[in-house]
Amino acid sequence: MEAAAIVLAAGAGTRMKSKKPKVAHEVLGKPLVRWVVDAAHEAGIGRIATVVGHERQQVEPLVEADTEVVVQPERRGTADAVAVCADALADFDGSLVVLSGDCPLITAATIRRLVDMREQADAAVVVLTMELENPYGYGRIVRDRVGAVERIVEQKDANSAEAAICECNSGFYCFDARALFEALSQVDDDNAQGEFYLTDVLAICRAAGRPVLALPTDDSSECLGVNSRAQLAEATKYAQRRINAAHLAAGVTMTDPDQVWIGPDVVIEQDVELLPQTFLMGSTSVGEDSVIGPNSRLTDTVVGRGCVIDETVAVEARIDDGASCGPRAYLRPAAHLCEGAKAGTHVEIKKSTVGKGSKVPHLSYIGDTTIGEDVNVGAGSITCNYDGKKKWPTVIGDGAFVGSDTMMVAPVSIGAGAIVGAGSCITKDVAPDALALTRPEQREIPGWAAKKRAQQAGK
C-alpha cells in the first residue's frame, strides 16, 4: 500500500485545563498522539508528517523518532494545518491519510479500509463518518438527493435542517494527495469561526468532478476525540475494555476485567492470571502461568513463567521464571530477580541482581548489589550504598547467609559460603566460609530495672 499520513497535533486543548498540550496526555500510559502514529504504522504507512504547534517542545519528543515534524506557526484551522505539510510531501503522489492526533482509538484496520476504498474508486477523498444520537459539536455530512456526499457543514455554520443530521464527520480522511493540495489553495476563512476548514476541500473536489465518498465506521468509539478530562477518562475506559477483551480471548484470566489496566504494548502469554487492581504498562511482558496482583503496578518490566507478583511495584525490572515478589515489594530500575529468587514483604531492590534461588524475604533495602545463588538475606538488612556523593557496590557470594538487621557498608564483599551474624555492621570484606560478627558484647546489670521503677514510683 503506497500511502502517507498527516497527523494533526498542533492544538492547545484549552478544555483540558492543563500545562500539557492535549495530545501529550496519556491513555493507559501512552500519549494520545502515539496511539495515532502507531496505528498508522500498523496500517502499513511508513511516511508520516506530524503537525505541531502549541507547546511543541512537549510534543516533538513524542514523534520525532519516526515521523517528520512540521510546525504550524499559527493555528488558523485544519486546512492550514494540512497546508503547512505541502513542502514536506511535495514529492508524494498517492493516498494521503489525515488523522487527528487526539483520537487514540482509531485502528489500523479502519485506516487501511479508508485507503483501499479511495484507491479502488480513484476518489479525491474518502471521509470516515459516524452516526450519533447527539451530534452536537460535530460537522454534519450533507448528501445530495441521490445520497452522494455533497459537503460537510460545521456545527456553528449549520442551519436547523443541517443541524438535525446525525451522520457526522469523524475527522479522519484519505485524500488523493495532489487533489488535496490543489484544493487547499481555494479554501477561505469565510465562516463562523474565521478559520480555514479542511472540510471545505470535499465540496471543492466534488465541484471539480472527482468522486467524494464516505466510509461509515463500524464502531463510533474509534472516532472519540479527547478535548476534556472527562473525554480522556471515557477514551481510557474504551481502550481498557478493548485491550482486556483481546487478552481474555487469548487465554488470560482476569478476576474482574474492570479492575485491570493493560497498556497497548504489553505482551501477555496464555494462562496468566491478573487479579484486581493490577496495572501493566509500557513494554511489560508476562510469561505463562504467572499470577500478578492484587494491587500491583508493573512498568517496562519483564516477568518470566510461573512467577507470583503480589502487591508489587516494578519499574524497568526483570523477574525470571519461578521468582516471587511481595507483598508490598518495590523493584526499581535494573532490579533483576533470577530464577526462583524472592523479594519478600516490604523489600526494595534497586540496580541489583538477586541470584538463582536467593531470598531477600523481609524489610530490606538492596541497592547496587550483586547477590549470588542460594543466598539468604535476613530481615531488616540494608546495603549502605550511598556516601552522599557516589553509589558503591556490594557483592554477596554464592551460598552466603546474612543475618537479620545487618548493615553492609559499600564498597564491600561477602565471600561465598560466609555467615554474617545478626545485628552486624560490615565495613570490611568477609572471606569465603568465614563468620563475621561486629555485634558489641552484651552487658547486663542485675536488678537495674526494678530499682528504676521504684525510683519513679517514689516521686
Side-chain angles (χ1 to χ4, degrees), residues 17-295:
K17 300 292 191 291
S18 176
K19 298 183 292 296
K20 294 167 61 174
K22 66 178 176 178
V23 297
H25 284 266
E26 296 181 348
V27 166
L28 297 177
K30 185 174 185 175
L32 300 179
V33 69
R34 280 302 330 169
W35 284 78
V36 180
V37 169
D38 289 349
H41 283 312
E42 187 182 344
I45 297 175
R47 187 173 182 181
I48 301 174
T50 302
V51 182
V52 300
H54 178 74
E55 295 293 343
R56 53 180 283 201
Q57 71 277 7
Q58 296 186 52
V59 180
E60 288 185 28
L62 305 176
V63 297
E64 60 188 0
D66 57 350
T67 79
E68 183 174 353
V69 176
V70 180
V71 179
Q72 184 185 19
E74 299 178 62
R75 265 66 72 201
R76 303 190 301 166
T78 49
D80 180 66
V82 172
V84 298
C85 296
D87 289 342
L89 296 168
D91 62 339
F92 180 76
D93 182 12
S95 292
L96 180 55
V97 182
V98 176
L99 306 169
S100 298
D102 61 358
C103 296
L105 302 178
I106 192 68
T107 65
T110 295
I111 295 172
R112 285 194 294 265
R113 288 175 61 206
L114 277 170
V115 174
D116 290 345
M117 186 175 186
R118 193 212 72 78
E119 293 182 348
Q120 290 168 11
D122 191 27
V125 57
V126 177
V127 57
L128 185 67
T129 68
M130 54 187 177
E131 289 281 342
L132 299 177
E133 291 183 8
N134 179 13
Y136 184 83
Y138 288 91
R140 309 303 204 278
I141 304 298
V142 179
R143 294 179 179 267
D144 62 19
R145 286 178 293 180
V146 298
V149 176
E150 184 177 282
R151 57 193 171 90
I152 298 175
V153 61
E154 299 296 340
Q155 172 73 43
K156 291 184 178 181
D157 299 297
N159 59 36
S160 57
E162 292 165 342
I165 297 171
C166 291
E167 185 182 16
C168 299
N169 174 28
S170 69
F172 293 95
Y173 315 84
C174 183
F175 292 94
D176 175 299
R178 291 190 176 178
L180 168 63
F181 288 114
E182 288 174 6
L184 284 173
S185 64
Q186 303 175 52
V187 175
D188 60 40
D189 61 354
D190 184 17
N191 52 63
Q193 299 187 78
E195 294 184 351
F196 295 90
Y197 293 155
L198 181 61
T199 50
D200 288 352
V201 169
L202 277 71
I204 293 169
C205 289
R206 177 182 164 97
R210 294 290 302 277
V212 174
L213 306 177
L215 174 65
T217 180
D218 294 330
D219 180 1
S220 61
S221 71
E222 283 195 53
C223 310
L224 178 65
V226 174
N227 295 292
S228 67
R229 306 283 182 155
Q231 289 177 336
L232 182 66
E234 185 181 5
T236 299
K237 179 56 68 174
Y238 273 116
Q240 177 198 26
R241 289 174 175 168
R242 179 194 291 177
I243 291 170
N244 288 3
H247 286 295
L248 288 165
V252 175
T253 294
M254 301 181 200
T255 307
D256 184 350
D258 282 340
Q259 295 194 66
V260 174
W261 291 263
I262 305 172
D265 301 317
V266 171
V267 176
I268 307 174
E269 295 182 6
Q270 66 182 27
D271 291 321
V272 167
E273 184 175 2
L274 303 179
L275 300 178
Q277 295 299 313
T278 289
F279 299 77
L280 305 178
M281 297 293 154
S283 58
T284 293
S285 63
V286 183
E288 64 183 24
D289 299 319
S290 289
V291 179
I292 314 294
N295 306 320

Side-chain angles (χ1 to χ4, degrees), residues 1 5 11 37 44 53 59 82 98 109 128 155 200-201 245 274 305-306 315 317 323 344 346 352 362 365 414 419 424:
M1 177 176 65
V37 169
V59 180
V82 172
V98 176
L128 185 67
Q155 172 73 43
D200 288 352
V201 169
L274 303 179
R305 299 178 178 183
V315 180
H346 295 294
S352 297
H362 321 283
Y365 169 72
I414 297 172
I419 295 177
S424 294

